[in-house]
Amino acid sequence: MLRLHRLRHHAVGRHVLAPCSALTRNACAHGTFTARQLSTSSARLAQVKFAHWIDKETGKLDTAKLETKWKTRWAEAKPPVRKPLTAAEIDRLFYVLVMFPYPSGVLHMGHVRVYTISDVLTRFHRMRGKHVVSPMGWDAFGLPAENAAIERSIAPAQWTQQNIATMKDQLSRILTDFDWDRELATCDPAYYKWTQHIFLQLFKNDMVYRKDAVVNWDPIDQTVLANEQVDKDGRSWRSGAVVEQRKLKQWFARITRYAQDLLDDLNALNWPDHVKSMQANWIGRSEGAEFEFALDPPIPDAQSKAISVFTSRADTLFGVSYLAIAPDHWLVSADHLPAEHANHVLKRAQEMLSGSSGGGDRSQRTKDGVFTGLYVAHPLDSARRVPVYVADYVLSDYGTGAVMGVPAHDVRDHEFCQINSVPVHISVVEPETSEFAEESKSELPVFTGQGVLRRIPENGIYGGMRSADARTTIVAAAAAIGSGKSVVNYRLRDWLLSRQRFWGAPVPIIHCASCGAVPVPESDLPVELPKNIELSGRGGSPLARATEWLNCKCPSCSGPATRDTDTLDTFVDSSWYFLRYTDAHNTQRPFDAMAASSMMPVDIYIGGVEHAILHLLYSRFISKFLWKTRAYGTAAVEHDSTVRSEVKEAIARRETRGARNGEPFTRLLTQGMVHGLTYKDPSSGRFLRSDEVQTEKGNVPRVIRTGETPTMSFEKMSKSKYNGVDPGATVDAYGADATRLHVLYLAPPQDVLEWDTQSIVGMQRWILRLGRLVDTACASSARESIVCALNARNKWSKEARETYRHTHVAIQHATESLEASFSLNTAISALIKLSNYLATVKDCEHPTFGFGLVCLVKMVAPMAPSIGEELWEILIQSKCLHNLGLVDTPNSRVFAQSWPVLDASALKDVSATVVVQINGKVRFKLEDMVPDQYQSELVQIASTMPQAQKWMFDTTGQPKHIVKVIHVPNKLINIIVK
């Protein structure tokens, strides 16, 4: 009995086997079942055959009817009653999160791919015994809905809700299983009430502030434009006006205070390296120095007596030829510029600002500049005057808004000097060795590397120092006289939160002439958007025209005041939604600290790599802020007497084994894009519609009008390229299960997927083969239970042993693919191989065949849910599971079963083919050998083979002397004879 218990738990999986019934025990005792015990009426079998789902005339599966059956069954299931998690549930919890979609109203193949991946992982981990959380919601605020509402003369809320209903139905059609009881929409006042609350917490902690910032301004429509609303020529997409740059009061979040934390904690995240690099580069930590270049002569009443400049190359300080300031630097003013230069400089500066209206990166521009007429003194040589220029590539909100130009050691600075006729100063740093000097030669007379300061008068006492030593010494000298210091700078800028649009969460601030910016009292949240407001896209912010909504009383002094007319960036909405999912219907707070602490961090976050920077960065920032202010986390519940000690310990375990320090996402899976087959006219390059191309015999496409062969390529799906694929039409034609399998099989999730509709029939055929296998198993009753068979494993036939091995090889590959590598295409490949092998098994009554098929159905189920459910039900109703001694509860569903457990001992080859080499040349093979035989045994067997007589024996029949034997176990033996 002890051996039987061990086998049941190790080899087959703890939750697979039912307790041995009297029937099973009797069969084990006698070695087989009686015919009466195994009999099932043919009438019963006829009711449960998979073949009944197949149309006899077309040979096709009735996917619509089959999927409807199971969607109806799933819909009948009662939603779970949410209770506080126990310690055991917290330890088993697995939070699967997929990036929630904007409700455009139409799913595209990219949606199908990412939500199928998410659904497969959700179902897999549930079968692995995890307490899985898999919520879904809607990123519903934003400019697209506002534009759609203007075009269709419909309220954005109505448009959005219609789209949400449509997309929920579409998600159901691809058989996804989300926790819909956790559903949320960011445009719901019940949600954005708490978005506003989080803004106020930032305000309370001095983490948001208001300042002037440049925006794109349409002078005709009198409204602010997003960068994407400005075309490549700098014109408004709606009015066609040349877009201007204006400064407006904007709200910012102090994300830069978290820059080092955001950088340091990247190392502990199980994210793709390229994504972590993108985040690190965006944060952009630079160690360097800040020097003070004093205005020479000083400007009366100026806000500063000097221009502060950051550089990471203090060793080039004596090579500075000019300073460059941003077009909107505080010095670019009629009050500060010399009179003879002011008008020209101000005009050019405005042109530079306007030239950036297309949303381009001004920091990458190099040519546009103008001399201001101002000079500054060198920090370590006050007698040396340096000219000040306005340069297009300098940004006022990055660093100090000023940089030093060193044309001999920076390519951009060199080009700027050439274009703007700035006198170029000589090189102050040279390569350390002549060998390096040869390697560093370039077309431009610029040396950008580290080296040695040249022994020239300009470098003074620092000549001859290596760059690293010179940096330290020069900064120390500047610090001693108050003209410099060591600093750490970040490329990261504070987060601009304001948007001058309607469809977003209103900023919860009231402006009072007496009290200034006053936060809306928490009791007055949410500040809802006004209803029945006319949207035209013209005339400035719609909220500013809603006078009844706009005018209010100051919460502080009760005097007349106005509401802030900006709305929050939609990245604010999506920066905390994963926390709201933990307690989606809480009306008293954004989420309960206990609920969020029990579920955070997210175990696996799935979404497009296009969100690898901003969305992830802002989510990390808000999550860390809420964690540090004890809205959730171990510290948030440690003093809560209502939380049991074992639950607190489980929360601490979860927090320490996943992402730490308030990081929201432990692991990240970024799926690639879906590309469609694109046809182009070979002469004109025009994209061709599908009805303009005809496929001839041999699958050769021709342009119908000309007969030419079109240019074909796979490109990102878009309407303009006529290469989009309608997921609904694909599901109608091939079924949701085949569509899911196809989208998973075509490429690993991280790679670009080249969609090919024609090859989806391969998945349809595989589904039919699975059905035939199940029908075969149901018609061929197992002779004994798998438990009894495992007790007599040493008596198995070679085929039975090979069947058991193939089953566990598939279990190993599928499990590793779903749990570790996410190579879901590899998992499907392993299951196809197993099904192909099972189709060759001759003894279908041996329990290893039935066991292999049962494992196959379980592993297929997460990827093809309705097929998995149907095949499992057939196995139950036909008594196949019962005959195998497995769980056969009448109403048991496949997703209530445990994922198959790997028996590592089964992976050993049943037999081996050993190649025999004599003196390094292949002479023959030893087929069907017992695995892992000793070298001496193989030499003995090889010497008895007829083929060995010529090579291992001399002409008299005597064995040749064996000098050496090279043995690769189970593969090769090389016998060196003399």
Side-chain angles (χ1 to χ4, degrees), residues 552-568:
C552 61
K553 288 185 178 182
C554 173
S556 180
C557 69
S558 298
T562 57
R563 298 189 185 279
D564 198 298
T565 58
D566 285 352
T567 53
L568 293 172

Side-chain angles (χ1 to χ4, degrees), residues 256-276:
T256 49
R257 288 187 178 177
Y258 281 50
Q260 195 59 48
D261 286 346
L262 291 167
L263 192 61
D264 291 342
D265 291 336
L266 278 173
N267 297 326
L269 300 178
N270 188 1
W271 289 15
D273 288 339
H274 70 281
V275 174
K276 291 198 284 188

